[in-house]
Amino acid sequence: MKLTVVGCSGSFPSAESACSSYLVEADGFRLLLDMGNGALGELQRHCGLYDLDAIFLSHLHADHCIDMCAYFVARYYRHDGGRCAPIPVFGPEGTEERLTTAYADTPSASSMSEVFDFHTVKPGSFEIGPFSVHTEKVSHPVEAYGIRVEHGGRSLTYSGDTGVCDTLDELARDTDLFLCEAAFTHGKENIPDLHLNGREAGETAARAAARRLVLTHIPPWTDPQANLADARAVFGGPVELAAPRVTYEI
């Protein structure tokens, strides 16, 4: 598998990065994990507008899904070649309604489903193209999912947004690459069931025996180097910060 960081800023885009969005590729299939603010523009550096094969939305906060409204425009109103066939979109209950409300002026209440083939995510295992995936609910104020993507005996686990929870530990068990949010700063914010700090991300990776940890979803007001140091203090494996346009071979 190949992972490309399209955007990794938390809560809102930074001067350097769009919000959460990650491109996973294998066997010519392109799966996008989340499409937050600014992601659609950055995505075009890595693939064509119409080259995606499926999209997974971890939850329905704007910094993880709002550029789906812009992507609707690109797919629905395309003139050259005609309107796009529906692309599979996997998301929590109410994804279609959320995006329709956010866009606010679709031609009809069902216009989104003319270009997006919506599938409701629940905890469990299923296939997306060549990938075997497993999803679990994680701890966040809205319905939110972490996802484990497997292909060719290798695995990638993406936390989405979450506080500390047992389901994330299990989802990341022995994973080859753990892409984990670290929005908070250890000793500063202490709000349960919302976000992880760098230390908690490192502790989760250690409990799960993950092979590699990549910290992501760090907001512009959070010091990434502090979170990196906190994660390294408790996790003995390789740890690094996600950065836009960086790729990983898994």
Side-chain angles (χ1 to χ4, degrees):
M1 289 185 289
K2 178 184 177 183
L3 167 67
T4 301
V5 177
V6 179
C8 56
S9 185
S11 299
F12 58 95
S14 71
E16 291 78 29
S17 178
C19 284
S20 293
S21 191
Y22 312 93
L23 181 64
V24 185
E25 300 173 80
D27 296 345
F29 191 96
R30 295 181 174 94
L31 167 64
L32 192 71
L33 308 179
D34 284 341
M35 192 184 284
N37 318 41
L40 186 61
E42 286 297 314
L43 178 65
Q44 293 171 74
R45 298 179 184 274
H46 308 289
C47 73
L49 273 174
Y50 310 109
D51 293 337
L52 288 178
D53 296 292
I55 300 167
F56 170 85
L57 300 177
S58 63
H59 65 292
L60 300 179
H61 280 157
D63 59 326
H64 291 259
C65 74
I66 202 62
D67 265 28
M68 290 289 291
C69 292
Y71 197 41
F72 165 77
V73 173
R75 297 186 70 85
Y76 190 89
Y77 293 104
R78 184 180 74 164
H79 294 287
D80 293 342
R83 184 176 297 167
C84 297
I87 181 175
V89 175
F90 299 83
E93 187 87 37
T95 295
E96 180 178 3
E97 293 80 4
R98 172 76 169 91
L99 296 179
T100 300
T101 300
Y103 190 84
D105 192 28
T106 54
S108 75
S110 62
S111 294
M112 284 279 174
S113 62
E114 294 182 43
V115 292
F116 297 140
D117 179 18
F118 291 102
H119 300 260
T120 299
V121 172
K122 296 295 181 184
S125 300
F126 53 100
E127 307 294 317
I128 302 179
F131 301 112
S132 297
V133 306
H134 186 81
T135 54
E136 289 288 353
K137 271 189 179 180
V138 291
S139 296
H140 205 52
V142 299
E143 185 178 3
Y145 290 89
I147 185 171
R148 184 183 180 106
V149 182
E150 297 183 346
H151 177 76
R154 307 290 282 178
S155 63
L156 158 70
T157 299
Y158 170 47
S159 67
D161 280 9
T162 182
V164 176
C165 59
D166 293 340
T167 52
L168 182 59
D169 291 3
E170 290 307 310
L171 203 61
R173 182 75 57 199
D174 298 318
T175 196
D176 292 295
L177 192 150
F178 185 24
L179 182 63
C180 186
E181 75 117 287
F184 283 166
T185 302
H186 177 60
K188 181 182 176 185
E189 300 105 337
N190 183 23
I191 307 171
D193 302 322
L194 183 57
H195 289 298
L196 300 169
N197 59 46
R199 184 179 182 88
E200 290 168 335
E203 290 171 340
T204 301
R207 288 193 300 270
R211 295 180 177 85
R212 186 179 192 179
L213 174 61
V214 179
L215 302 178
T216 193
H217 195 271
I218 299 177
W221 55 54
T222 297
D223 180 0
Q225 294 303 320
N227 283 15
L228 180 63
D230 287 343
R232 285 175 170 167
V234 294
F235 177 62
V239 188
E240 58 198 279
L241 297 169
R245 306 177 202 172
V246 172
T247 62
Y248 299 89
E249 296 293 334
I250 305 170

